[in-house]
């Protein structure tokens, strides 16, 4: 194993083995180690008791069973087993707690990454990597503490006993066998690690492919692409199958070589022991003792080979987790970041320029301001940069040039959590959790009382619909809210943000999925909800921004017009042209408000 992997392995495992903030867990680790050492010391005594039994039975003229030796032998075996099981029971919480902490640490770290990071990753692949990493950590804790160290401890004691009580050849044969076994195991494991790594890559692809298909179930069904998705998944499964087969073949090669080395070593040492019994140098009990030592030593030694192989695989499995944890988030709080406490909620974009890719500008020196408690609408064609403005206000990305300010404070000088707590958004594409309607609304303010949830639902004009459902607010909405219509999901999202009660309200095409009648009812409700709040409306349908205090028109990432609804219609500019095009659309598709007189 490369040196950097050992260091990284220790840095990952040690904080979980010896947690600084939990004296109880550290006590469990110490207790488990005491039980472990006790089990090994008792285990070393077992061959001596067995030798006493055999020599006692083999004495000429023996008339009684050496009961003391037999009872001691049985008691030692029982004690060794009891201590080993107690050790596992005591350490169980440490192992599971370590896995829990690693999973939680990784999960929280993923939420610290920027939106750009997640747009470049596949959810299924991340989930599979975390699952394997947690299992790998649990394995490493068990193996390192309870197999590697104890086996080395027992090996040292056995070699010392053999040197002290028997000819040096016994210890030499044992030592050479173990060295050969270890060398072969390390070399072969290093060779086959590339097969395991490739298998993990293909396993990630299988996980990502299957999750993508299931998440987009409705799209797959609507395009009747079930067989296409099955073929894509099968192609990934086939590549995994081939990689797994190569891994298994290399594993069989390793196991066969290990078995051969152990068999040769045991045979040679038993021949040597038997020869010395014939010459009278050793008793039959000595042969049994040496044989018992060899068997006791090679059983954990055999697992030591498996352990090293699994450690290699575990380190490979932890590489993905390590890659996630060592990657610093792109968006971080500044050292001097302050907690944002809204004082009205004034929003200002000051000459903001931004690009997801430096080769293609999205916003070019965009400037506008929303006074506290007022409503500003941003309109423009698709791709003009409207949704990017929302992301910058939330600080999902940092601007390349210019500033985004709330109440006169640069958002980069504020803690992200306090900034986002003050902003509520109703997005165009509403995503719900696979939970109850009540839980999805309560997500705006976890722990809110039922009365507040119902009030928010009433504001969003969805309370009466929920009451008609058999399970009411306990109705489960399904994966990504598939059991609800687009309009129903949108109203749940509106209720959720009303429950949050933010100082700054963003409506990002908030009623785009609703029919005309429902939209008009919701516009009244949203108008009441916006009272006293700074409101930013992102719209394509111009009928939804009639009541905006100011309308900003964006094209090609630049502000090309600004003014009131009526004033912009009179200027005969881009806004008026958009209005005419939408007026010419079929009435059922694009109902338009008439210009104010």
């Amino acid at each position: 194993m490369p040196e950097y992997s050992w260091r990284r392995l220790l840095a990952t495992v040690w904080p979980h083995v010896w947690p600084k903030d939990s004296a109880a867990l550290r006590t469990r680790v110490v207790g488990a180690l005491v039980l472990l050492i006790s089990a090994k010391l008792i285990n070393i005594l077992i061959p001596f008791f067995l030798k006493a039994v055999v020599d006692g039975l083999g004495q000429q003229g023996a008339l009684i069973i050496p009961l003391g030796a037999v009872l001691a032998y049985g008691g030692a075996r029982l004690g060794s087993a009891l201590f080993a099981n107690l050790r596992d029971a005591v350490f169980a919480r440490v192992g599971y707690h370590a896995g829990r902490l690693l999973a939680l640490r990784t999960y929280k770290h993923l939420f610290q990454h920027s939106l750009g990071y997640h747009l470049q990753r596949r959810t299924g692949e991340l989930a599979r990597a975390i699952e394997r990493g947690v299992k790998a950590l649990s394995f490493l804790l068990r193996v390192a503490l309870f197999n590697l160290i104890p086996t080395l401890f027992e090996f040292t004691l056995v070699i010392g006993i053999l040197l002290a009580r028997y000819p040096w050849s016994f210890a030499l044969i044992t030592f050479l066998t173990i060295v050969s076994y270890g060398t072969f195991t390390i070399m072969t494991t290093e060779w086959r690690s590339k097969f395991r790594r490739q298998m993990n890559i293909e396993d990630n692809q299988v996980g990502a492919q299957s999750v993508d298909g299931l998440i987009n179930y409705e799209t797959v069904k609507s395009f009747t692409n079930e067989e296409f998705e099955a073929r894509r998944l099968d192609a990934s499964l086939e590549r995994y199958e081939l990689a797994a087969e190569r891994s298994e073949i290399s594993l069989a090669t390793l196991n066969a070589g290990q078995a051969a080395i152990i068999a040769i070593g045991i045979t040679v040492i038993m021949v040597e022991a038997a020869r010395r019994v014939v010459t009278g140098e050793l008793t039959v009990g000595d042969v049994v003792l040496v044989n018992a030592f060899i068997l006791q030593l090679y059983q954990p030694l055999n697992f030591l080979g498996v352990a090293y192989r699994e450690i290699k695989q575990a380190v490979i499995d932890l590489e993905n987790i390590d890659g996630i944890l060592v990657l610093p988030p792109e968006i971080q709080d500044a050292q001097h970041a302050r907690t944002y406490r809204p004082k009205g909620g004034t929003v200002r974009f000051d000459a903001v320029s931004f690009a997801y890719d430096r080769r293609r500008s999205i916003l070019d020196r965009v400037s506008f301001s929303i006074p506290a408690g007022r409503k500003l609408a941003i309109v423009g064609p698709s791709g003009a940069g409207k949704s990017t403005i929302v992301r910058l206000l939330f600080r999902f990305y940092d601007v390349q040039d210019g500033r985004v300010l709330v109440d006169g404070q640069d958002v980069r000088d504020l803690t992200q959590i306090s900034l986002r707590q003050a902003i509520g958004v109703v997005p165009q594409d509403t995503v719900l959790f696979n939970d109850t309607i009540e839980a999805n609304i309560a997500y705006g303010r976890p722990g809110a009382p039922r009365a507040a949830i119902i009030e928010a639902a009433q504001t969003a004009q969805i309370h009466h619909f929920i009451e008609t459902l058999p399970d009411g607010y306990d109705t489960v909405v399904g994966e990504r809210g598939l059991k609800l219509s687009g309009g129903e999901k949108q109203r749940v999202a509106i209720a959720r943000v009303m429950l949050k009660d933010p100082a700054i309200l963003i409506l990002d095409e908030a009623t785009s999925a609703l029919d005309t009648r429902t939209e008009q009812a919701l516009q009244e409700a949203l108008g009441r909800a916006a009272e006293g709040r700074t409101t930013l409306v992102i719209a394509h349908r111009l009928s939804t921004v009639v009541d905006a205090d100011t309308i900003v028109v964006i094209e090609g990432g630049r502000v090309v017009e600004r003014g009131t609804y009526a004033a912009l219609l009179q200027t005969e500019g881009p806004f008026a042209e958009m209005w005419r095009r939408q007026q010419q659309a079929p009435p059922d598709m694009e109902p338009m408000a008439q210009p104010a007189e």
Side-chain angles (χ1 to χ4, degrees), residues 569-591:
L569 283 179
Q570 294 174 0
T571 60
E572 295 297 322
F575 183 86
E577 178 61 27
M578 290 173 60
W579 185 86
R580 280 192 293 269
R581 284 199 304 269
Q582 293 187 6
Q583 283 290 89
Q584 295 167 5
D588 60 332
M589 291 181 61
E590 194 60 61

Side-chain angles (χ1 to χ4, degrees), residues 242-294:
L242 293 174
E245 181 185 11
R246 295 190 186 100
S247 180
E248 286 299 316
I249 291 173
S250 65
L251 174 60
T253 302
L254 175 60
N255 288 338
Q258 290 173 335
I261 293 172
I262 290 176
I264 292 171
I266 290 178
T267 301
V268 172
I269 202 166
M270 290 308 296
V271 168
E272 178 69 7
R275 184 180 66 82
R276 293 182 182 274
V277 170
V278 172
T279 61
E281 299 176 54
L282 300 177
T283 66
V284 175
D286 289 316
V287 176
V288 172
L289 183 144
V290 172
N291 183 62
F293 267 143
I294 297 302

Side-chain angles (χ1 to χ4, degrees), residues 40-74:
K40 286 301 178 184
L41 290 175
I42 294 174
N43 209 40
I44 289 294
L45 297 176
I46 291 175
F48 288 100
F49 296 139
L50 185 59
K51 168 182 163 55
V53 172
V54 173
D55 284 342
L57 291 174
Q59 287 178 2
Q60 224 173 14
L63 299 176
I64 60 172
I65 298 174
L67 188 58
V70 172
L71 291 176
Y73 172 76

